[in-house]
Structures are given as C-alpha cells and as structure tokens.
C-alpha cells in the first residue's frame, strides 16, 4: 500500500515567562548547542535569541526571550518590550513557569497578555526535578483552570526530561511550512553577538549584587591570524568606577578569570584557537541612555514610555 508522505511542518515558537524559569536552558537543550547565556541570576537574557531545531518531519524555530518583569530601569523595559514584541510574529507561544515557585501574581498578567495573542499557547512547567508529584498535579490543574493553554507539558530542561514529548507536541501544533533555515544552521545570531554573550555570562556567574546587571559587553574586533587563531578584543562597560574595579579585581584576578573561562568556551564553540583581550570602561548610566542602548543592541523602536 502506498503511504502519502507527511507534510513538512515549520514555524516560529516564542519561549516566554518570568526571569529565571529556565527559558534559555530549554533553548540550548533543544538546539543541542549552547547559544544563549544561562545563569542562576534572574534577568540573564536581554535580547531575543533564535535557535533552530531540525527534526525529520519539520523545523521548530525557537525564540528565547528576556524574562518578563516589572522594572523602572530603561534597559529592563526594553528587554520586556523585546519579549512582548515576539507575540505578534510567532505561530506558537510556549509559556514557561518554574514548578518550584508555581504561578505567581505576575504570571497572571503575562497569561492575560498571551490570551490576546491569536496563536496556540502551550504551558511548560519546568524544573519538575525539584518538586514532588502532588505539587506538579496541582500545578497542572491550576494551569488547566486558566483556560488559555492548548497543552500542558511538564519538563526538566536541565535533566532533559520530557523534551521529546514537548518537541512532538510543538511540531504537531505548527502549520505546514517551508524549511526556513538550511540543515546545520542553528542560529542566525552573528558570531560577535555569541562571543559577547559568552563573556557576559561569565561575568554574570562570577560577580554579585548589582555588578552583573551594570555590565554591557561589546566585541570590538575579531581578526584571524596567519596561524588561524582568532584575535578578539572585547570592551566591558560598567556604570560606575567601583564596578569597574570589581570586574578587574585584585591585580586583575577577576578579569583574568572571566577571560580564561570565556576563551575556553569560545574555542569550544567555534572550534578554533582564541586570543582574547578584555578592556573595561565606565559609561555612566548607560542603562538609561538611548544612545548607549542602541550602541549595545538593546533598543527597541516599538518601545513607548508607558
Ligand atoms: N533544577 C533545575 N534547574 C533548572 C532547570 N532548568 C533551568 N534551571 C536552572 O535555572 C536557572 C535559570 O536558567 P535560565 O535558563 O538562565 O533561565 P531563563 O528563564 O532563561 O532566565 P532569564 O534569561 O533571566 O529570563 C539556571 O541556574 C538553570 O540551571 C531544570 O529543569 N531544573
Ligand atoms: Mg534566559
């Protein structure tokens, strides 16, 4: 008997949710490469980050987004704008909560914003490795009660638990469509962006209090030497001289640690030898300044003061 070939499915799916629920961890797991910065601190992701999942029957184009939160800081409002702006051009929304923390009041606001989007919405309950069954069942019932979600999928992004089922479900909800990205292409992010995020992630993980939040990272130059080594210079901007001192550390120890960790990861990511120089500069109040936000790639034209 002749079987009709199943149609190729493809589309864009945005991962949305509060900070720190595990959105970037899921993106990295599904594309099987580390493209988005991850950390234990909230507000790690600042831009939309695209990752392509290539499957036999289709292509899922994931958009990782900054965590949605309330803030008076302009940078943070730009971040939230980046997240909400994805709603108008995706085929599917993956709304993620952290099983341990459950639904918080802010989630209700996000769920309402989502209910206005005219695309299917999946609820992902992440970090199920951290909770007992009864709590999970309670969350599933609570999610169901909201009446906004077409499916509810419990997963552990960290332990790669439930991800096959999630992929299948996402694919089943996507329309028939073309292969948007060629096989082997995992992201459309430029190399400079990926490098700057690797450096920023190391700073996020190695520093504390307000320091990780005061930092922007710009790749000034990537040149290939005759022997094929990538010679990279990066500027790390902070808001205050005191933060600059912390990033540099005693006799340069902190900057050295950041540099070594970042270099190793860049070498692994791009399969090349790397010579990395880091410079630290102060740019007062850059997080409030339109020109700096533009220079660092955080400005959104669609943003309006509300
Ligand atoms: N136990 C456990 N931890 C997880 C899981 N998924 C992510 N995490 C941890 O949660 C923290 C936040 O992960 P991220 O992926 O950076 O979270 P995010 O939602 O992208 O955060 P923002 O970019 O700040 O919005 C990290 O320490 C992850 O290791 C999980 O399934 N189980
Ligand atoms: Mg993130």
């Amino acid at each position: 008997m002749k079987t009709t070939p199943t149609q190729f499915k493809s589309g864009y799916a945005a991962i949305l949710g509060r900070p720190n629920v595990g959105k970037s961890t899921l993106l990295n797991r599904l594309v099987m490469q580390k493209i988005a910065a991850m950390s234990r601190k909230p507000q790690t992701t600042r831009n939309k980050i695209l990752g392509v999942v290539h499957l036999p029957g289709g292509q899922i184009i994931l958009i990782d987004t900054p965590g949605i939160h309330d803030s008076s800081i302009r940078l943070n409002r730009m971040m939230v704008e980046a997240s909400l702006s994805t709603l108008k051009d995706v085929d599917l929304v993956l709304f993620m909560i952290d099983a341990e923390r459950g639904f918080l009041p802010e989630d209700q606001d996000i769920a309402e914003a989502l209910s206005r989007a005219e695309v299917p919405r999946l609820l992902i309950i992440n970090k199920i490795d951290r909770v007992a069954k009864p709590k999970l069942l309670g969350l599933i019932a609570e999610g169901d009660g909201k009446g906004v979600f077409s499916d509810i999928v419990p997963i552990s992004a960290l332990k790669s638990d439930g991800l096959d089922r999630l992929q299948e479900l996402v694919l089943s909800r996507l329309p028939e469509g073309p292969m948007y990205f060629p096989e082997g292409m995992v992201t459309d992010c430029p190399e400079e962006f990926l490098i700057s995020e690797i450096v920023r992630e190391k700073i996020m993980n190695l520093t504390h209090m307000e320091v990780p939040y005061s930092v922007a990272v710009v790749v000034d130059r990537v040149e290939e030497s005759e022997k094929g080594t990538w010679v990279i210079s990066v500027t790390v901007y902070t808001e205050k001289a005191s933060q600059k001192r912390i990033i540099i550390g005693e006799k340069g120890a902190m900057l050295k640690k950041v540099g070594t960790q970042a270099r190793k990861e860049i070498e692994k990511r791009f399969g090349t030898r790397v010579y990395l120089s880091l410079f630290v500069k102060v740019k007062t109040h850059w997080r409030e300044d339109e020109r700096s936000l533009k220079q660092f790639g955080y400005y959104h034209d669609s943003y309006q003061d509300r």
Side-chain angles (χ1 to χ4, degrees), residues 20 22-25 36-39 43-46 64-67:
N20 214 41
K23 300 179 294 298
S24 301
T25 306
M38 298 174 286
S39 90
Q43 294 151 36
T44 300
T45 305
R46 291 178 177 169
D64 180 21
T65 63

Side-chain angles (χ1 to χ4, degrees), residues 48 81 84-90 302:
K48 292 187 232 185
E81 180 63 31
L84 294 176
S85 70
T86 57
L87 281 175
K88 56 183 189 312
D89 35 41
V90 292
S302 57

